[in-house]
């Protein structure tokens, strides 16, 4: 695999190309890129055929161990890769240790292994056990075993242990990776740990920056889950900027988690190349539709709308009149509100179609604006959309309070 970038400057928004994958040689992906979030190897709520109706472009799937670990024995028995086992062999697979959409329980680290959490409970992985799994799954890209159990509240002792254990794990993973015939076509990434402590991050970076790897995952900023969408760029900017300034500019930078679009734009501006689409999944689970790309006069709405609100019961317009997704072309807000109220499974399907489409279009727009030199104008435009949503929420709260006062 090769990663080619146009700009060699640190901490700037940049466009790059991922290419020359051994398993699918014709695949080519532009960055900044959103990995398509999956559970058990499939996009949540969508069949493969429906997903292909959303986008015909090649995609990279984000595969997490918590949703796939229990398939290990079955994958081994078939002697196929995980991509072949789940019928997604035409997509590049990016394997991660944790599921970005679900909070990872904290405080269960032990000396020589790290835990993952499946629907059947906790499973500890040593570097050897982890690499045996990697050889069975045969992902195109994967992250070395690491201890990312840190966040903004982690103390120096926890951060020091996370860095040291991750260094030890990486060394064992890299040794096995380099000696494995099975993994010759796979790429390994290193995880930069250290939480919000610059000194700890510097230690992690100095160890990894000259290793023979394609890139780095900026890890240890959070414990995953839906609350990550509430983390602002101001909270993470200083430590991310410090990290990227010390890393080789020509290598891939990855940040997993359901960051909100404003934080994504700030991270892109700092030079992060790869994200994931757990955010639109979380929005779907919240019964909401993404509308932050709607900038037309006929769509006077904020960055999301919630179908739990009664005002959509008689609204026979689409989510966005200019959206090209299957949901907006064929269904109205009133119909979606009805499906939501009656708890029909089709509601999640239609909402996921729209939200994934919107998010992939968001990244298309990011890349195009970087190329045109209008990225900062685009960033201002999206920020205004979120501010508009805040105004709408404030107005709704005021109306509710006024109604209560009249009743009293």
């Amino acid at each position: 695999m090769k990663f080619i970038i146009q700009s060699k400057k640190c901490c700037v928004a940049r466009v790059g190309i991922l290419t020359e994958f051994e398993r699918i040689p014709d695949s080519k992906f532009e960055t900044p890129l959103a990995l398509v979030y999956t559970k058990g190897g499939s996009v949540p709520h969508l069949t493969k055929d429906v997903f292909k109706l959303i986008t015909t472009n090649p995609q990279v799937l984000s595969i997490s161990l918590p949703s796939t670990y229990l398939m290990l024995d079955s994958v081994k028995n078939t002697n196929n890769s995980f991509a072949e086992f789940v019928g997604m062999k035409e997509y590049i697979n990016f394997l991660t240790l944790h599921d970005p959409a679900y909070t990872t329980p904290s405080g269960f680290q032990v000396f020589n292994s790290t835990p993952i959490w499946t629907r059947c409970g906790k499973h500890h992985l040593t570097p050897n056990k982890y690499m045996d799994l990697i050889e069975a799954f045969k992902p195109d890209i994967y992250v070395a075993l690491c201890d990312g159990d840190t966040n903004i509240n982690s103390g120096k002792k926890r951060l020091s242990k996370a860095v040291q254990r991750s260094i030890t794990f990486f060394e064992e993973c890299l040794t096995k990776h380099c000696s494995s015939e099975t993994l010759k076509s796979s790429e390994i990434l290193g995880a930069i740990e250290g939480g919000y402590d610059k000194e700890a991050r510097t230690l992690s970076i100095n160890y990894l920056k000259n290793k023979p790897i394609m890139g780095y995952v900026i890890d240890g900023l959070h414990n995953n889950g839906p609350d990550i969408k509430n983390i602002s760029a101001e909270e993470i900017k200083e430590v991310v900027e410090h990290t990227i300034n010390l890393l080789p500019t020509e290598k891939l930078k990855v940040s997993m988690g359901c960051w909100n679009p404003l934080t994504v734009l700030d991270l892109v501006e700092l030079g992060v190349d790869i994200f994931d689409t757990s955010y639109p999944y979380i929005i779907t689970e919240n019964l909401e539709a993404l509308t932050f790309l709607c900038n037309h006069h006929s769509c006077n709405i904020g960055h999301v709308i919630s179908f739990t609100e009664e005002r959509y019961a008689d609204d026979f317009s689409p989510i966005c009149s200019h959206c090209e997704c299957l949901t907006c072309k064929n269904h109205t807000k009133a119909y979606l509100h009805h499906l939501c109220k009656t708890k029909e499974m089709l509601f999640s399907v239609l909402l996921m179609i729209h939200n994934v489409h919107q998010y992939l279009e968001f990244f298309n727009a990011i890349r195009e604006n970087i190329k045109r030199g209008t990225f900062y104008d685009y960033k201002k435009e999206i920020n205004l959309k979120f501010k508009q949503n805040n105004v709408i929420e404030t107005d709704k709260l005021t109306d509710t309070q006024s109604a209560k006062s009249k009743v009293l």
Side-chain angles (χ1 to χ4, degrees):
M1 185 181 83
K2 279 189 178 180
F3 179 52
I4 305 164
I5 53 170
Q6 294 177 352
S7 173
K8 293 292 181 73
K9 294 180 181 178
C10 279
C11 292
V12 295
R14 61 192 197 166
V15 173
I17 296 175
L18 277 171
T19 186
E20 296 188 21
F21 292 89
E22 284 198 33
R23 189 170 66 83
I24 312 177
D26 295 335
S27 290
K28 187 180 290 186
F29 306 93
E30 280 193 314
T31 62
L33 172 71
L35 309 175
V36 177
Y37 172 77
T38 67
K39 291 173 70 176
S42 299
V43 183
H45 305 303
L46 306 180
T47 64
K48 181 179 176 180
D49 289 339
V50 171
F51 177 58
K52 283 186 172 182
L53 293 175
I54 296 175
T55 174
T56 56
N57 296 326
Q59 300 293 335
V60 183
L61 304 184
S62 168
I63 311 294
S64 67
L65 279 187
S67 69
T68 59
Y69 182 77
L70 299 179
M71 301 180 186
L72 177 58
D73 290 339
S74 299
V75 173
K76 281 182 176 179
N77 290 337
T78 62
N79 201 30
N80 290 324
S81 67
F82 179 81
E84 292 171 312
F85 179 77
V86 296
M88 303 291 265
K89 64 181 180 180
E90 61 268 54
Y91 297 104
I92 296 297
N93 279 203
F94 186 114
L95 186 69
T96 62
L97 192 60
H98 300 294
D99 189 328
Y102 295 90
T103 304
T104 305
S106 185
F108 294 88
Q109 303 291 330
V110 296
F111 175 69
N112 64 344
S113 66
T114 199
I116 61 167
W117 299 81
T118 72
R119 55 187 170 83
C120 294
K122 178 177 63 176
H123 300 266
H124 275 280
L125 294 175
T126 63
N128 277 334
K129 190 173 181 180
Y130 180 67
M131 291 307 294
D132 287 343
L133 182 150
I134 296 297
E135 286 192 317
F137 277 22
K138 304 178 187 67
D140 301 287
I141 311 170
Y142 69 98
V143 185
L145 191 69
C146 56
D147 175 359
D149 183 16
T150 57
N151 53 49
I152 197 168
N153 298 315
S154 299
K156 284 189 173 292
K157 186 175 180 181
R158 171 85 277 271
L159 295 175
S160 177
K161 284 185 177 180
V163 171
Q164 292 299 332
R165 293 176 72 243
S166 296
I167 288 173
T168 302
F169 291 164
F170 178 85
E171 196 67 44
E172 293 183 49
C173 289
L174 184 63
T175 299
K176 191 158 184 180
H177 175 89
C178 292
S179 63
S180 172
E181 288 293 321
T182 306
L183 298 178
K184 276 188 174 180
S185 62
S186 299
E187 296 290 345
I188 183 172
L189 302 182
I192 304 295
E193 303 296 350
Y196 290 74
D197 186 288
K198 291 181 183 178
E199 187 177 336
R201 287 222 168 246
T202 302
L203 181 62
S204 180
I205 292 163
N206 287 340
Y207 170 76
L208 282 174
K209 68 181 181 181
N210 295 319
K211 297 298 180 183
I213 54 180
M214 284 297 301
Y216 313 92
V217 176
I218 303 171
D219 198 32
L221 295 171
H222 55 73
N223 293 103
N224 303 300
D227 289 343
I228 307 311
K229 70 181 188 302
N230 300 322
I231 297 178
S232 67
E234 286 72 24
E235 294 177 72
I236 60 173
K237 182 176 180 180
E238 189 175 343
V239 69
V240 172
E241 188 171 14
H242 170 80
T243 302
I244 291 177
N245 271 323
L246 295 180
L247 290 171
T249 56
E250 72 277 7
K251 299 222 174 162
L252 206 59
K253 316 294 190 305
V254 181
S255 181
M256 304 295 288
C258 56
W259 304 112
N260 69 67
L262 298 185
T263 303
V264 167
L265 290 170
D266 284 317
L267 290 172
V268 166
E269 189 177 353
L270 290 174
V272 176
D273 305 297
I274 291 184
F275 302 84
D276 66 83
T277 62
S278 55
Y279 178 77
Y281 169 69
I282 292 296
I283 294 298
T284 300
E285 295 299 285
N286 287 347
L287 312 181
E288 295 172 330
L290 292 173
T291 53
F292 68 94
L293 295 186
C294 301
N295 57 357
H296 310 282
H297 294 301
S298 57
C299 298
N300 188 25
I301 47 183
H303 71 276
V304 293
I305 61 173
S306 173
F307 284 102
T308 59
E309 297 179 27
E310 289 300 327
R311 59 177 168 156
Y312 297 116
D314 298 314
D315 188 337
F316 296 99
S317 64
I319 297 171
C320 175
S321 60
H322 290 72
C323 180
E324 293 296 315
C325 80
L326 291 170
T327 301
C328 288
K329 280 185 171 183
N330 296 285
H331 303 290
T332 65
K333 294 190 193 83
Y335 180 58
L336 290 166
H337 176 268
H338 162 71
L339 294 176
C340 177
K341 284 293 184 180
T342 55
K343 300 182 179 179
E344 289 283 351
M345 290 175 63
L346 180 59
F347 173 70
S348 296
V349 174
L350 295 176
L351 204 52
M352 192 70 175
I353 288 171
H354 171 80
N355 287 340
V356 170
H357 171 84
Q358 285 275 300
Y359 211 67
L360 293 179
E361 286 298 304
F362 174 48
F363 274 81
N364 284 335
I366 289 173
R367 293 189 291 268
E368 288 305 310
N369 279 280
I370 294 173
K371 291 175 189 176
R372 291 197 299 259
T374 56
F375 176 75
Y376 300 106
D377 293 333
Y378 182 67
K379 185 179 170 185
K380 287 179 184 176
E381 182 184 311
I382 299 299
N383 269 272
L384 285 173
K385 199 68 176 177
F386 275 72
K387 286 179 182 177
Q388 180 182 344
N389 212 91
N390 290 336
V391 170
I392 291 170
E393 290 300 321
T394 302
D395 290 344
K396 282 162 53 182
L397 182 61
T398 303
D399 291 343
T400 302
Q401 290 171 341
S402 297
K404 285 182 179 178
S405 298
K406 288 178 182 178
V407 171
L408 294 173

